[in-house]
Amino acid sequence: MQEIGIERQRSDKPYAGKVFAAVHAHVSDIPYFASGLCAKLMAEGFTGYLIRTSNDETSGGKSTAQNILSNETEHAAMAKALGFKDVFELYYRSHRMNEISPIELRGRLVLLFRFLKADTVLSYHRDSEGEPDSDRWITGRAVEEACWAAASRNDFHEHQEAGILPHPVRERYYFHVRPGQPFNRVVDISGHIGQKIDAILECRSQGNGNAGSLLRARLAKEGRRLPLLGGDDRTADRAYVRQFLLEDFRSYSRGHDFEYAERFEYSVPLPEVSATVDEYIDKNAVKL
């Protein structure tokens, strides 16, 4: 059984100057699985960048073009709500990512990790077992491969010729997407639950961000109302998310002294080889 680590909010900025990249396939995935962690890391000094691999053309219930546009707009608004510095869109066709070259996707991610100098990466678990959404496991596998390739001087050497040098990704957080998926880190997100709700609210084409206002309107036509939903659409949407869509994140915190949590499998940072060598020299070198 894995030992479970608890990651709590820090009041200082110990990670000033550090960079993380959050990579997902669909607009609503980061908001649900990792928005609390993203907000926490940025509050602690990280600069965050958001990368979406698919165009989400199959989500929204409208034409392909309208779905692409609405999801792109909502993605930008969600990134702003969480405080990301910039957003990168790869625009692969949703639910058809198994058609693309794995090497192409890996290369594009390697380029971004090197260009951004990403120290930390957040994405799907590298194990695709039980994941029905091929966009997710294809993205997760490519991210895993890109993390180690980003540090290699012999992979995608053309990047170096353009002045973009190899850069090691030191740590990774893998989303906990479904029951039974392994995790070894519980992150206290209680101080950022408002931002998590704000992020989910922007996911209207997918993710139930406007479910509260839709329910409020339906009940009004039936001559009924729920006091929970308040007197306007924004209040209704926020109340719906808090009441009905955050139960998993409340359950993850049970047994701990905080209210909301997210789960991850955390990959412990590997020590730099040069630092290991220097440490050995300091302990063992003798005078000539």
Side-chain angles (χ1 to χ4, degrees):
M1 185 175 180
Q2 291 194 82
E3 182 179 348
I4 307 300
I6 305 298
E7 185 170 327
R8 299 178 181 275
Q9 175 71 51
R10 297 186 58 163
S11 58
D12 55 348
K13 292 188 179 292
Y15 307 118
K18 295 285 188 179
V19 172
F20 79 86
V23 188
H24 62 168
H26 306 301
V27 167
S28 59
D29 284 353
I30 289 290
Y32 275 97
F33 305 135
S35 55
L37 174 62
C38 290
K40 173 183 176 296
L41 291 177
M42 287 185 276
E44 294 172 349
F46 269 94
T47 298
Y49 294 93
L50 185 61
I51 302 168
R52 181 172 60 132
T53 56
S54 92
N55 64 1
D56 279 315
E57 65 179 57
T58 56
S59 299
K62 299 179 181 179
S63 72
T64 296
Q66 289 172 314
N67 288 344
I68 292 171
L69 178 59
S70 65
N71 279 285
E72 181 181 348
T73 302
E74 292 165 18
H75 196 228
M78 179 270 288
K80 183 177 180 180
L82 288 174
F84 283 98
K85 184 174 181 178
D86 206 351
V87 177
F88 297 88
E89 304 276 13
L90 302 190
Y91 289 116
Y92 290 109
R93 297 192 69 183
S94 184
H95 297 173
R96 298 180 64 168
M97 285 186 62
N98 49 1
E99 297 177 343
I100 67 176
S101 162
I103 302 300
E104 176 191 312
L105 177 55
R106 184 199 305 170
R108 294 180 75 181
L109 290 170
V110 168
L111 177 63
L112 284 171
F113 294 166
R114 288 173 170 176
F115 173 71
L116 299 173
K117 296 182 173 59
D119 303 292
T120 300
V121 167
L122 289 60
S123 194
Y124 308 101
H125 198 279
R126 56 193 179 275
D127 180 7
S128 62
E129 182 178 355
E131 176 55 70
D133 187 335
S134 59
D135 293 348
R136 286 178 175 171
W137 60 259
I138 289 167
T139 297
R141 186 173 300 170
V143 167
E144 178 73 7
E145 294 170 350
C147 283
W148 59 257
S152 171
R153 292 190 172 276
N154 295 318
D155 284 282
F156 305 101
H157 57 81
E158 64 273 19
H159 297 171
Q160 297 180 63
E161 295 174 12
I164 300 173
L165 302 179
H167 182 82
V169 174
R170 292 295 176 193
E171 61 179 354
R172 280 158 278 182
Y173 290 84
Y174 302 104
F175 310 153
H176 182 77
V177 175
R178 59 188 179 279
Q181 200 165 36
F183 68 94
N184 60 10
R185 180 68 57 98
V186 174
V187 179
D188 175 11
I189 62 165
S190 304
H192 301 284
I193 198 63
Q195 284 177 277
K196 186 176 186 72
I197 292 173
D198 288 342
I200 294 173
L201 290 181
E202 299 299 341
C203 303
R204 296 183 295 277
S205 296
Q206 56 181 302
N208 293 313
N210 60 344
S213 53
L214 292 176
L215 176 59
R216 179 171 172 269
R218 178 171 69 81
L219 291 175
K221 288 181 180 179
E222 298 171 357
R224 298 185 294 167
R225 61 180 291 271
L226 275 176
L228 169 74
L229 301 180
D232 62 85
D233 286 349
R234 186 72 175 179
T235 300
D237 289 336
R238 291 188 68 84
Y240 186 98
V241 171
R242 187 179 289 273
Q243 181 69 26
F244 300 112
L245 301 184
L246 299 181
E247 181 54 36
D248 282 346
F249 308 102
R250 283 188 284 266
S251 71
Y252 296 163
S253 70
R254 287 171 190 156
H256 305 291
D257 60 349
F258 42 85
E259 188 176 0
Y260 294 95
E262 290 170 347
R263 289 175 172 175
F264 301 89
E265 182 166 2
Y266 175 72
S267 176
V268 178
L270 296 174
E272 296 186 41
V273 173
S274 60
T276 303
V277 172
D278 289 342
E279 182 180 354
Y280 184 87
I281 292 172
D282 289 341
K283 289 182 178 179
N284 297 282
V286 296
K287 292 182 179 181
L288 293 175

